[in-house]
Short mmCIF file of all heavy atoms in Angstrom, two decimals:
data_model
loop_
_atom_site.label_atom_id
_atom_site.label_comp_id
_atom_site.label_asym_id
_atom_site.label_seq_id
_atom_site.Cartn_x
_atom_site.Cartn_y
_atom_site.Cartn_z
N GLU A 262 0.83 -1.20 0.00
CA GLU A 262 0.00 0.00 0.00
C GLU A 262 0.86 1.25 0.00
O GLU A 262 2.00 1.25 0.49
CB GLU A 262 -0.91 0.06 1.23
CG GLU A 262 -1.84 -1.12 1.43
CD GLU A 262 -1.30 -2.10 2.44
OE1 GLU A 262 -0.06 -2.18 2.58
OE2 GLU A 262 -2.11 -2.79 3.10
N SER A 263 0.28 2.32 -0.52
CA SER A 263 0.91 3.64 -0.46
C SER A 263 -0.18 4.69 -0.58
O SER A 263 -1.33 4.38 -0.92
CB SER A 263 1.94 3.80 -1.58
OG SER A 263 1.32 3.68 -2.85
N GLY A 264 0.20 5.94 -0.28
CA GLY A 264 -0.73 7.04 -0.49
C GLY A 264 -1.35 7.62 0.76
O GLY A 264 -2.10 8.60 0.68
N GLY A 265 -1.07 7.05 1.91
CA GLY A 265 -1.62 7.60 3.13
C GLY A 265 -0.97 8.93 3.49
O GLY A 265 -0.01 9.36 2.86
N GLY A 266 -1.53 9.59 4.50
CA GLY A 266 -0.98 10.85 4.94
C GLY A 266 -1.91 11.60 5.84
O GLY A 266 -2.90 11.04 6.34
N LEU A 267 -1.59 12.86 6.06
CA LEU A 267 -2.38 13.75 6.92
C LEU A 267 -3.17 14.71 6.03
O LEU A 267 -2.61 15.34 5.13
CB LEU A 267 -1.45 14.54 7.84
CG LEU A 267 -2.08 15.64 8.70
CD1 LEU A 267 -3.08 15.04 9.68
CD2 LEU A 267 -1.00 16.41 9.43
N VAL A 268 -4.46 14.82 6.30
CA VAL A 268 -5.32 15.68 5.49
C VAL A 268 -6.36 16.32 6.40
O VAL A 268 -6.73 15.74 7.42
CB VAL A 268 -5.98 14.87 4.36
CG1 VAL A 268 -6.92 13.81 4.90
CG2 VAL A 268 -6.69 15.78 3.36
N GLN A 269 -6.81 17.50 6.04
CA GLN A 269 -7.85 18.16 6.80
C GLN A 269 -9.23 17.57 6.45
O GLN A 269 -9.43 17.03 5.36
CB GLN A 269 -7.86 19.66 6.53
CG GLN A 269 -6.67 20.39 7.13
CD GLN A 269 -6.81 21.90 7.00
OE1 GLN A 269 -7.43 22.40 6.07
NE2 GLN A 269 -6.22 22.62 7.95
N ALA A 270 -10.14 17.70 7.38
CA ALA A 270 -11.51 17.24 7.14
C ALA A 270 -12.05 17.91 5.87
O ALA A 270 -11.84 19.10 5.64
CB ALA A 270 -12.40 17.56 8.33
N GLY A 271 -12.73 17.10 5.06
CA GLY A 271 -13.24 17.59 3.79
C GLY A 271 -12.29 17.36 2.63
O GLY A 271 -12.68 17.53 1.46
N GLY A 272 -11.06 16.99 2.93
CA GLY A 272 -10.07 16.77 1.89
C GLY A 272 -10.14 15.38 1.28
O GLY A 272 -11.04 14.59 1.59
N SER A 273 -9.18 15.08 0.40
CA SER A 273 -9.17 13.82 -0.34
C SER A 273 -7.79 13.18 -0.29
O SER A 273 -6.77 13.87 -0.16
CB SER A 273 -9.54 14.07 -1.80
OG SER A 273 -10.85 14.60 -1.93
N LEU A 274 -7.78 11.87 -0.40
CA LEU A 274 -6.55 11.09 -0.56
C LEU A 274 -6.86 9.93 -1.49
O LEU A 274 -8.02 9.46 -1.55
CB LEU A 274 -6.08 10.53 0.78
CG LEU A 274 -5.33 11.43 1.74
CD1 LEU A 274 -5.07 10.69 3.05
CD2 LEU A 274 -4.02 11.93 1.16
N ARG A 275 -5.83 9.44 -2.19
CA ARG A 275 -5.99 8.23 -2.98
C ARG A 275 -4.95 7.21 -2.53
O ARG A 275 -3.75 7.47 -2.60
CB ARG A 275 -5.83 8.49 -4.47
CG ARG A 275 -6.19 7.26 -5.31
CD ARG A 275 -6.09 7.49 -6.79
NE ARG A 275 -4.72 7.44 -7.28
CZ ARG A 275 -4.39 7.19 -8.54
NH1 ARG A 275 -5.34 6.97 -9.44
NH2 ARG A 275 -3.12 7.18 -8.91
N LEU A 276 -5.44 6.08 -2.06
CA LEU A 276 -4.56 5.00 -1.65
C LEU A 276 -4.35 4.05 -2.83
O LEU A 276 -5.25 3.85 -3.64
CB LEU A 276 -5.17 4.22 -0.49
CG LEU A 276 -5.56 5.02 0.74
CD1 LEU A 276 -6.07 4.09 1.84
CD2 LEU A 276 -4.41 5.87 1.25
N SER A 277 -3.16 3.48 -2.90
CA SER A 277 -2.83 2.50 -3.94
C SER A 277 -2.40 1.20 -3.29
O SER A 277 -1.79 1.20 -2.22
CB SER A 277 -1.70 3.03 -4.83
OG SER A 277 -2.06 4.22 -5.48
N CYS A 278 -2.70 0.10 -3.97
CA CYS A 278 -2.27 -1.23 -3.53
C CYS A 278 -1.69 -1.94 -4.74
O CYS A 278 -2.43 -2.33 -5.65
CB CYS A 278 -3.44 -2.00 -2.95
SG CYS A 278 -3.07 -3.74 -2.59
N ALA A 279 -0.38 -2.08 -4.76
CA ALA A 279 0.29 -2.78 -5.85
C ALA A 279 0.36 -4.27 -5.52
O ALA A 279 0.91 -4.65 -4.49
CB ALA A 279 1.69 -2.21 -6.05
N ALA A 280 -0.21 -5.08 -6.40
CA ALA A 280 -0.30 -6.52 -6.17
C ALA A 280 0.67 -7.27 -7.09
O ALA A 280 0.82 -6.92 -8.26
CB ALA A 280 -1.72 -7.00 -6.42
N SER A 281 1.30 -8.30 -6.56
CA SER A 281 2.22 -9.12 -7.35
C SER A 281 2.20 -10.55 -6.85
O SER A 281 1.69 -10.85 -5.77
CB SER A 281 3.64 -8.55 -7.28
OG SER A 281 4.12 -8.57 -5.95
N GLY A 282 2.75 -11.45 -7.67
CA GLY A 282 2.90 -12.83 -7.24
C GLY A 282 1.82 -13.78 -7.69
O GLY A 282 1.86 -14.97 -7.34
N SER A 283 0.86 -13.30 -8.44
CA SER A 283 -0.21 -14.18 -8.92
C SER A 283 -0.91 -13.53 -10.10
O SER A 283 -0.66 -12.37 -10.43
CB SER A 283 -1.21 -14.44 -7.80
OG SER A 283 -2.23 -15.33 -8.21
N THR A 284 -1.79 -14.29 -10.71
CA THR A 284 -2.72 -13.73 -11.69
C THR A 284 -4.01 -13.43 -10.94
O THR A 284 -4.61 -14.32 -10.36
CB THR A 284 -2.99 -14.74 -12.83
OG1 THR A 284 -1.77 -15.08 -13.47
CG2 THR A 284 -3.95 -14.14 -13.83
N PHE A 285 -4.41 -12.19 -10.95
CA PHE A 285 -5.47 -11.74 -10.05
C PHE A 285 -6.85 -11.71 -10.68
O PHE A 285 -7.79 -11.20 -10.07
CB PHE A 285 -5.11 -10.37 -9.48
CG PHE A 285 -3.92 -10.41 -8.56
CD1 PHE A 285 -2.65 -10.14 -9.03
CD2 PHE A 285 -4.07 -10.76 -7.23
CE1 PHE A 285 -1.54 -10.20 -8.20
CE2 PHE A 285 -2.98 -10.83 -6.38
CZ PHE A 285 -1.71 -10.55 -6.87
N SER A 286 -6.99 -12.27 -11.85
CA SER A 286 -8.27 -12.17 -12.55
C SER A 286 -9.42 -12.82 -11.79
O SER A 286 -10.58 -12.44 -11.96
CB SER A 286 -8.16 -12.78 -13.94
OG SER A 286 -7.75 -14.13 -13.84
N ASN A 287 -9.15 -13.80 -10.93
CA ASN A 287 -10.22 -14.44 -10.16
C ASN A 287 -10.16 -14.09 -8.68
O ASN A 287 -10.60 -14.85 -7.84
CB ASN A 287 -10.19 -15.95 -10.36
CG ASN A 287 -8.90 -16.55 -9.84
OD1 ASN A 287 -7.91 -15.85 -9.65
ND2 ASN A 287 -8.89 -17.84 -9.61
N TYR A 288 -9.62 -12.93 -8.38
CA TYR A 288 -9.49 -12.48 -7.00
C TYR A 288 -10.52 -11.41 -6.67
O TYR A 288 -11.00 -10.68 -7.54
CB TYR A 288 -8.10 -11.89 -6.76
CG TYR A 288 -7.04 -12.90 -6.40
CD1 TYR A 288 -6.63 -13.87 -7.31
CD2 TYR A 288 -6.42 -12.85 -5.15
CE1 TYR A 288 -5.65 -14.78 -6.98
CE2 TYR A 288 -5.43 -13.77 -4.82
CZ TYR A 288 -5.05 -14.73 -5.74
OH TYR A 288 -4.07 -15.62 -5.41
N VAL A 289 -10.81 -11.31 -5.37
CA VAL A 289 -11.47 -10.15 -4.80
C VAL A 289 -10.41 -9.37 -4.03
O VAL A 289 -9.66 -9.95 -3.23
CB VAL A 289 -12.62 -10.55 -3.86
CG1 VAL A 289 -13.13 -9.33 -3.10
CG2 VAL A 289 -13.75 -11.18 -4.64
N MET A 290 -10.36 -8.08 -4.27
CA MET A 290 -9.42 -7.20 -3.58
C MET A 290 -10.22 -6.30 -2.64
O MET A 290 -11.24 -5.72 -3.03
CB MET A 290 -8.66 -6.34 -4.58
CG MET A 290 -7.99 -7.11 -5.70
SD MET A 290 -6.70 -8.22 -5.11
CE MET A 290 -5.50 -7.03 -4.53
N GLY A 291 -9.73 -6.18 -1.42
CA GLY A 291 -10.47 -5.39 -0.43
C GLY A 291 -9.61 -4.35 0.26
O GLY A 291 -8.38 -4.45 0.28
N TRP A 292 -10.28 -3.36 0.80
CA TRP A 292 -9.65 -2.38 1.69
C TRP A 292 -10.32 -2.50 3.06
O TRP A 292 -11.56 -2.53 3.15
CB TRP A 292 -9.80 -0.96 1.16
CG TRP A 292 -8.90 -0.62 0.02
CD1 TRP A 292 -9.21 -0.62 -1.31
CD2 TRP A 292 -7.53 -0.22 0.11
NE1 TRP A 292 -8.12 -0.26 -2.05
CE2 TRP A 292 -7.07 0.00 -1.21
CE3 TRP A 292 -6.63 -0.02 1.17
CZ2 TRP A 292 -5.77 0.41 -1.50
CZ3 TRP A 292 -5.34 0.39 0.88
CH2 TRP A 292 -4.91 0.60 -0.44
N PHE A 293 -9.50 -2.56 4.08
CA PHE A 293 -9.95 -2.57 5.46
C PHE A 293 -9.26 -1.42 6.19
O PHE A 293 -8.29 -0.86 5.71
CB PHE A 293 -9.58 -3.90 6.14
CG PHE A 293 -10.38 -5.07 5.67
CD1 PHE A 293 -10.13 -5.64 4.42
CD2 PHE A 293 -11.36 -5.63 6.46
CE1 PHE A 293 -10.86 -6.73 3.97
CE2 PHE A 293 -12.10 -6.72 6.03
CZ PHE A 293 -11.84 -7.26 4.79
N ARG A 294 -9.76 -1.09 7.38
CA ARG A 294 -9.09 -0.08 8.19
C ARG A 294 -9.19 -0.45 9.65
O ARG A 294 -10.13 -1.14 10.06
CB ARG A 294 -9.68 1.31 7.94
CG ARG A 294 -11.14 1.47 8.36
CD ARG A 294 -11.66 2.83 7.93
NE ARG A 294 -13.06 3.03 8.31
CZ ARG A 294 -13.78 4.07 7.94
NH1 ARG A 294 -13.24 5.02 7.17
NH2 ARG A 294 -15.05 4.18 8.33
N GLN A 295 -8.22 0.05 10.41
CA GLN A 295 -8.20 -0.21 11.85
C GLN A 295 -7.80 1.06 12.58
O GLN A 295 -6.68 1.56 12.41
CB GLN A 295 -7.23 -1.34 12.18
CG GLN A 295 -7.30 -1.78 13.63
CD GLN A 295 -6.60 -3.11 13.85
OE1 GLN A 295 -5.77 -3.53 13.04
NE2 GLN A 295 -6.92 -3.77 14.94
N ALA A 296 -8.73 1.58 13.37
CA ALA A 296 -8.48 2.75 14.19
C ALA A 296 -7.91 2.30 15.53
O ALA A 296 -8.11 1.15 15.95
CB ALA A 296 -9.77 3.53 14.39
N PRO A 297 -7.21 3.18 16.25
CA PRO A 297 -6.63 2.81 17.54
C PRO A 297 -7.68 2.29 18.50
O PRO A 297 -8.74 2.91 18.68
CB PRO A 297 -6.02 4.12 18.03
CG PRO A 297 -5.73 4.89 16.79
CD PRO A 297 -6.83 4.54 15.84
N GLY A 298 -7.42 1.14 19.09
CA GLY A 298 -8.33 0.57 20.06
C GLY A 298 -9.55 -0.11 19.49
O GLY A 298 -10.43 -0.55 20.23
N LYS A 299 -9.62 -0.19 18.15
CA LYS A 299 -10.80 -0.79 17.52
C LYS A 299 -10.38 -1.99 16.66
O LYS A 299 -9.21 -2.14 16.31
CB LYS A 299 -11.53 0.24 16.66
CG LYS A 299 -12.14 1.37 17.45
CD LYS A 299 -13.00 2.26 16.57
CE LYS A 299 -13.69 3.36 17.37
NZ LYS A 299 -14.56 4.20 16.53
N GLU A 300 -11.36 -2.80 16.33
CA GLU A 300 -11.09 -3.94 15.47
C GLU A 300 -10.96 -3.49 14.02
O GLU A 300 -11.51 -2.46 13.62
CB GLU A 300 -12.21 -4.98 15.61
CG GLU A 300 -12.26 -5.64 16.97
CD GLU A 300 -13.21 -6.82 17.01
OE1 GLU A 300 -13.91 -7.04 16.01
OE2 GLU A 300 -13.25 -7.51 18.03
N ARG A 301 -10.27 -4.30 13.25
CA ARG A 301 -10.15 -4.02 11.83
C ARG A 301 -11.52 -4.20 11.18
O ARG A 301 -12.23 -5.18 11.45
CB ARG A 301 -9.12 -4.96 11.20
CG ARG A 301 -8.68 -4.57 9.83
CD ARG A 301 -7.49 -5.42 9.37
NE ARG A 301 -6.33 -5.24 10.24
CZ ARG A 301 -5.14 -5.75 9.95
NH1 ARG A 301 -4.95 -6.45 8.84
NH2 ARG A 301 -4.14 -5.57 10.79
N GLU A 302 -11.90 -3.25 10.31
CA GLU A 302 -13.21 -3.29 9.69
C GLU A 302 -13.13 -3.17 8.18
O GLU A 302 -12.23 -2.54 7.63
CB GLU A 302 -14.11 -2.17 10.25
CG GLU A 302 -13.64 -0.77 9.92
CD GLU A 302 -14.63 0.30 10.35
OE1 GLU A 302 -15.69 -0.04 10.91
OE2 GLU A 302 -14.35 1.49 10.10
N PHE A 303 -14.13 -3.75 7.54
CA PHE A 303 -14.22 -3.72 6.09
C PHE A 303 -14.59 -2.32 5.61
O PHE A 303 -15.41 -1.63 6.22
CB PHE A 303 -15.29 -4.71 5.63
CG PHE A 303 -15.65 -4.61 4.18
CD1 PHE A 303 -14.83 -5.17 3.22
CD2 PHE A 303 -16.80 -3.95 3.78
CE1 PHE A 303 -15.15 -5.08 1.89
CE2 PHE A 303 -17.13 -3.86 2.44
CZ PHE A 303 -16.31 -4.42 1.50
N VAL A 304 -13.98 -1.91 4.49
CA VAL A 304 -14.28 -0.62 3.89
C VAL A 304 -14.90 -0.78 2.50
O VAL A 304 -15.99 -0.27 2.23
CB VAL A 304 -13.02 0.26 3.78
CG1 VAL A 304 -13.33 1.57 3.06
CG2 VAL A 304 -12.44 0.55 5.16
N ALA A 305 -14.20 -1.49 1.63
CA ALA A 305 -14.67 -1.63 0.24
C ALA A 305 -13.98 -2.83 -0.40
O ALA A 305 -12.92 -3.25 0.06
CB ALA A 305 -14.37 -0.37 -0.56
N ALA A 306 -14.58 -3.33 -1.47
CA ALA A 306 -13.97 -4.45 -2.20
C ALA A 306 -14.36 -4.38 -3.67
O ALA A 306 -15.39 -3.78 -4.03
CB ALA A 306 -14.39 -5.78 -1.61
N ILE A 307 -13.54 -5.03 -4.49
CA ILE A 307 -13.78 -5.06 -5.93
C ILE A 307 -13.40 -6.43 -6.47
O ILE A 307 -12.40 -7.02 -6.04
CB ILE A 307 -12.97 -3.95 -6.65
CG1 ILE A 307 -13.30 -3.90 -8.14
CG2 ILE A 307 -11.47 -4.11 -6.43
CD1 ILE A 307 -12.76 -2.63 -8.83
N ARG A 308 -14.22 -6.95 -7.35
CA ARG A 308 -13.88 -8.18 -8.05
C ARG A 308 -13.00 -7.83 -9.24
O ARG A 308 -13.39 -6.99 -10.07
CB ARG A 308 -15.14 -8.90 -8.53
CG ARG A 308 -15.98 -9.42 -7.40
CD ARG A 308 -17.15 -10.26 -7.89
NE ARG A 308 -17.91 -10.73 -6.77
CZ ARG A 308 -17.60 -11.77 -6.03
NH1 ARG A 308 -16.53 -12.48 -6.33
NH2 ARG A 308 -18.34 -12.14 -5.00
N TRP A 309 -11.81 -8.47 -9.29
CA TRP A 309 -10.90 -8.07 -10.35
C TRP A 309 -11.51 -8.34 -11.72
O TRP A 309 -11.40 -7.52 -12.63
CB TRP A 309 -9.58 -8.83 -10.21
CG TRP A 309 -8.47 -8.08 -10.85
CD1 TRP A 309 -8.24 -7.94 -12.18
CD2 TRP A 309 -7.46 -7.33 -10.17
NE1 TRP A 309 -7.15 -7.14 -12.38
CE2 TRP A 309 -6.63 -6.76 -11.17
CE3 TRP A 309 -7.17 -7.09 -8.84
CZ2 TRP A 309 -5.54 -5.97 -10.86
CZ3 TRP A 309 -6.08 -6.31 -8.54
CH2 TRP A 309 -5.27 -5.76 -9.54
#
């Protein structure tokens, strides 16, 4: 992953996930997030 950072409320960021080591045509790719003291949670997913 890359693209994280500090931004003000109302702003935008674009995260990237570079994948390697397989053919991903039959994969589902997901984004999760984990805030301090909280469990990791699902954000979004895409079928390749």
